[in-house]
Amino acid sequence: MDIMLFHSAYGLTPSVEAAAERLRAAGHQVWTPDLYDGRTVGTVEEGVALRDEIGKDELLKRAVLAAAPYSERGLVYMGLSLGASIAQTLALGDEKARGLLLLHGTSDLAESASVDELPVQLHVAEPDPFETDDWLSSWYLQMRKAGADVEIYRYRGAGHVYTDPELPDWDEEAAERTWSVALSFLDSL
């Protein structure tokens, strides 16, 4: 499977590269575009500030440019937190998308969003301050209305970016469960 993996607000950190290596070890081709041009940060607040400095439109432009050379292959779009919102936007706009794998985040959907049974899997902490229960219920209904085939997995007690061993949110048990389910999802596409 060809996977375009977008980093979180922390930037293209070694843990993102480790996630890509884990996917490659399972037989997938993975690209990890650096939407921050080599910059990384140490806190969520710094990540939000950098995201805002670059701007959402510019980040999406960079993501589209990174994915464009490979989109004809039928990509699986994948993202971590901020990267999940970017992956979702690209997948919903790419008629050749094979799947959407979201870890720790979602995004708004345009009213006109429409896909043909796009397989979508979301993994989030429970509770998650960035992905509240009300938001996730609304998001799920909007994704289904758009035509996506959605699965949501919640991990009670885990921190927001719980799959990243470099962060305080790290939850080894939840991370391993997430990777096991996510790799099965990718194998099914």
Side-chain angles (χ1 to χ4, degrees), residues 133-179:
D133 290 342
D134 288 347
W135 167 256
L136 286 174
S137 294
S138 174
W139 176 85
Y140 175 83
L141 293 173
Q142 290 176 35
M143 288 294 282
R144 291 295 300 152
K145 181 181 172 193
D149 181 12
V150 183
E151 299 176 331
I152 300 177
Y153 294 86
R154 307 286 308 269
Y155 300 87
R156 182 162 287 290
H160 175 61
V161 187
Y162 63 85
T163 59
D164 188 331
E166 298 176 350
L167 299 177
D169 290 347
W170 166 244
D171 183 316
E172 184 175 9
E173 182 180 333
E176 288 306 315
R177 282 195 330 234
T178 295
W179 282 112

Side-chain angles (χ1 to χ4, degrees), residues 3-6 23 28 75-81 83-85 87-88 91 98-105 118-123 151 153 178-179 181-186 189:
I3 301 170
M4 186 65 55
L5 172 59
F6 294 104
L23 294 165
H28 303 289
L75 291 170
V76 172
Y77 291 92
M78 180 178 176
L80 308 166
S81 191
S85 69
Q88 177 185 308
R98 300 272 311 272
L100 175 59
L101 180 56
L102 306 172
L103 275 61
H104 323 298
L118 179 71
V120 177
Q121 194 174 87
L122 168 65
H123 298 265
E151 299 176 331
Y153 294 86
T178 295
W179 282 112
V181 173
L183 289 170
S184 292
F185 170 72
L186 291 169
L189 299 178

Side-chain angles (χ1 to χ4, degrees), residues 89-137:
T89 300
L90 268 62
L92 293 179
D94 182 352
E95 64 186 30
K96 289 188 164 60
R98 300 272 311 272
L100 175 59
L101 180 56
L102 306 172
L103 275 61
H104 323 298
T106 61
S107 184
D108 296 330
L109 276 76
E111 277 293 319
S112 61
S114 178
V115 293
D116 186 17
E117 290 299 311
L118 179 71
V120 177
Q121 194 174 87
L122 168 65
H123 298 265
V124 290
E126 182 181 20
D128 187 317
F130 301 102
E131 302 291 328
T132 65
D133 290 342
D134 288 347
W135 167 256
L136 286 174
S137 294

Side-chain angles (χ1 to χ4, degrees), residues 19 39 51 58 64 67 97 118 129 158-159 166 169 173 187:
R39 296 165 69 183
R51 175 201 70 196
E58 178 63 22
V64 167
L118 179 71
E166 298 176 350
D169 290 347
E173 182 180 333
D187 287 344

